[in-house]
Amino acid sequence: MVKNAPTDDLGDRDLHVAPPKKAAAGVPGVLHGLAAAQQQMGVRRSALTLLKVNQAGGFDCPGCAWPEPAPNDRSHFEFCENGAKAVAEEATLRRVTPEFFARHSISDLAGRSDYWLGQQGRLTAPVVKRADSDHYAPISWDDAFALIAERMRAVEPDRSVFYTSGRTSNEAAFAYQAFARAYGTNNLPDCSNMCHESSGVALMETIGIGKGSVTLEDVHRAKLIVVVGQNPGTNHPRMLTALEKAKKAGATIVAVNPLPEAGLLRFKNPQHPDGVVGRGTALADHYLQIRVGGDLALFAALGHLLLPHADTGFIEAHTSGFEEYARARATVDWAVIETQTGLARAQIEEVAALMAASDATIVCWAMGLTQRSDSVPTIREVVNVQLLRGMVGKPGAGLCPVRGHSNVQGDRTMGIIERPPPWAGNLTRELGVEVPGTHGYDVVEAIRAMRDGRASIFMALGGNFAAAAPDTDVTLAALASCDLTVHVSTKLNRTHTTPGRVSLILPCLGRTERDPAGFVTVEDSMSAVHASVGRLAPASPDLLSELAIISRLARAVLGADLPWARWEESYPAVREVIAKVVPGFDDYEAKVATREGFTLPHGPRDSREFATPDGRARFTVNTIVERTLPPGRLLLQTMRSHDQYNTTIYGLDDRYRGISGGRRVVFVSATDLASLGLADGSMVDIVSEWRDGVERRAPGFRVVEYPIAAGCAGAYFPEANVLVPLDSTAELSNTPTSKEIVVRLEPVTA
Ligand SMILES: Nc1nc2c(c(=O)[nH]1)N[C@H]1C(S)=C(S)[C@@H](COP(=O)(O)OP(=O)(O)OC[C@H]3O[C@@H](n4cnc5c(=O)[nH]c(N)nc54)[C@H](O)[C@@H]3O)O[C@H]1N2
Ligand SMILES: Nc1nc2c(c(=O)[nH]1)N[C@H]1C(S)=C(S)[C@@H](COP(=O)(O)OP(=O)(O)OC[C@H]3O[C@@H](n4cnc5c(=O)[nH]c(N)nc54)[C@H](O)[C@@H]3O)O[C@H]1N2
Ligand SMILES: [Mo]
């Protein structure tokens, strides 16, 4: 039953490999986006829908968390190719009906690819899989809530797990965590646990708040922007517009990445004439082709070189721990730095010189830094370098973790976290909810708990847990062992095909759709909170909003006379409570009624105030752990193609990297191919080796010779998740090490 993601209908027979592209976006990009939209929505609906993306009075693009410019600065096309694809996936005219489930058994669906599942369209009615059945069948909303309530009431609250993905609105997230806590558990794992958790942990410890310290305005006026471990051309295309703007104002851009990603090297802005014709803007002035995992060594070396350029005024007034840090970085072993980073000393010195000369430096990063065993120390080392130069709380400077899901940051602000939130007392005061004092399960702990029989109910507000989580076989078995699984979803996905004994799919409204209860609000990567107004007719009359589902479930489980019993009828009613519970949300309703919304307070950014125990930003001492691979092994990182949104596969192409018609590819450098005796185009199994002695295998990948740093390999998420051991996680953040997997490539004969 439980097996690797199937490959039957992946269409890899049509796999085609061409040289990687040298520039991103431009008109071809937008045309690709429009083509995707029209296939799913038709011409008229596409035009009406896409014109509302990220406009004041429109809806927030479900694509990514990059902020929108101020309303007067916005173009009519404040979306990108991949935003258009994200919207098209939701606003599609295709439908998954109860008849669909009658036609397709769950075993049948389990044999389909993620791509096929996603392409079936929007879920239209609540369905249940009963204990003795291999089919999902219709169920009324009332019966669905009654069934879940009966099961939840029958077990200890800590046997339930409440997962959240990052698209959920502030209001629904707030209601969900309040419900889970009133029910009696802090088991609130979320996609952040697999994403920017390492950033949150490192920033909280060093600057006292787990969020980035820059605004979009800062990016526009920065003199130097270092983009580390991030592929904005695919995953945050609107960021390229901001980089281009900074660049035109004189900024220098440095890219640090094992892959020469197209968007970082050259960008054709579709909103400017020179993006339509001509070669576009060369974005990155310097490209450091770092080895996977070499970033801590790089930032340690940069710190060493920048010691003579320390901003002593800032350090004395606002930081602690500098002496120890300076002692630790007084010398570096250049041989170690060069082998760990794969870079030459001169290249690092060049970047250090840029940093020494810049009075406004921003460091941006994403998954290339957060999903490794030493992610937290690495990000702390980035913080060290920025503190050393006084680059926090200064215009045009700062720390910029670029978030993924469009409201993942807001969900955390609203208390989606597996520990008691800092404002637990306010929740008790306003809603009478006693927040448990215990530490709940994060994603990895939740999988262990299900696997070991300590948790038996899994509920998910969005997301695709089965495909997103590590160690696919273990995760699938863990989910399948549950007594009850409940999925609040817009689209069919892998997690639905791995049901517990009883399983429900509760279809909900998406962000593009009209909601009778009003508009929702979201928070972007730079702490700006604003309204998102859906305008399309719902995909089916049978859908409920996430808020309605949570409110009705709360009533069914906890009793009808709860304070939030009527929340589903009014988002303003929820915001009224949030304003009293969550700091920074005073006058919430009035502030989000304005076109631009408001930016949450951020001590380090606004006034160089640091909510650490000693009130100072903290330098830390981090040890470079030398990675040595056994002979014949590569360090694999798993990444996104241009045609996917996490586990949602839009198509089988990765245009900028020259791949079309398939996804089971592994990128390897020419040097490594030669030393491994493998030919470009040959077929291999990827086998991961970890200290638990278990060999995990992802079968049938085509080797692609690629300009990737030597010693490393790259493959796509989620196909490669089967290779990530559950227990291989980042120190302190417990994030699965999806970008640090020791593998060997085993040739297979066709
Ligand atoms: N279209 C689209 N947009 C998205 C998403 C999507 O799937 N599709 N996902 C959203 C989400 S949830 C997130 S979190 C973000 C993800 O955005 P990214 O972080 O850009 O996503 P990844 O594809 O994981 O890319 C990681 C980048 O890090 C590089 N990298 C890998 N290992 C290392 C390393 O050791 N050091 C360095 N310096 N670099 C390394 C890879 O080569 C790659 O360029 O995007 C969000 N936006
Ligand atoms: N190997 C490896 N694994 C990774 C990563 C990696 O880089 N490598 N990246 C990790 C990261 S950064 C992340 S964020 C996670 C992502 O993990 P998740 O957030 O769990 O996964 P998604 O693929 O974003 O979820 C897609 C599903 O969300 C549902 N959905 C979409 N919109 C809505 C909505 O408005 N409401 C509701 N209720 N449901 C909706 C749809 O049913 C869709 O099938 O994966 C992680 N896993
Ligand atoms: Mo993410």
Side-chain angles (χ1 to χ4, degrees), residues 55 153 204 217 297 305 307 347 378 429 449 463 570 584 729 743:
Q55 297 301 315
R153 279 203 301 256
M204 183 61 93
E217 194 43 41
L305 294 167
L307 279 178
Q347 283 177 289
T378 300
R429 191 190 64 222
S570 160
T729 60
V743 298

Side-chain angles (χ1 to χ4, degrees), residues 63-65 82-83 191 195-196 227-232 234-237 256-259 261 264 290-295 365-369 371-372 402-405 637-642 644-648 650 657 717 739:
C64 73
N82 278 345
C191 67
C195 184
H196 264 295
V227 182
V228 195
Q230 198 199 339
N231 180 20
T234 286
N235 298 315
H236 303 93
V256 183
N257 201 305
L259 301 177
E261 306 283 26
L264 286 173
I290 196 161
R291 284 221 164 109
V292 171
D295 306 272
W365 71 89
M367 297 304 100
L369 288 197
Q371 300 173 329
R372 281 200 316 267
V402 182
R403 306 273 162 185
H405 268 301
Q637 58 124 336
T638 60
M639 60 196 177
R640 291 151 173 81
S641 84
H642 194 64
Q644 74 185 83
Y645 193 89
N646 298 338
T647 68
T648 301
Y650 302 141
R657 298 194 186 108
F717 143 59
K739 300 232 180 348

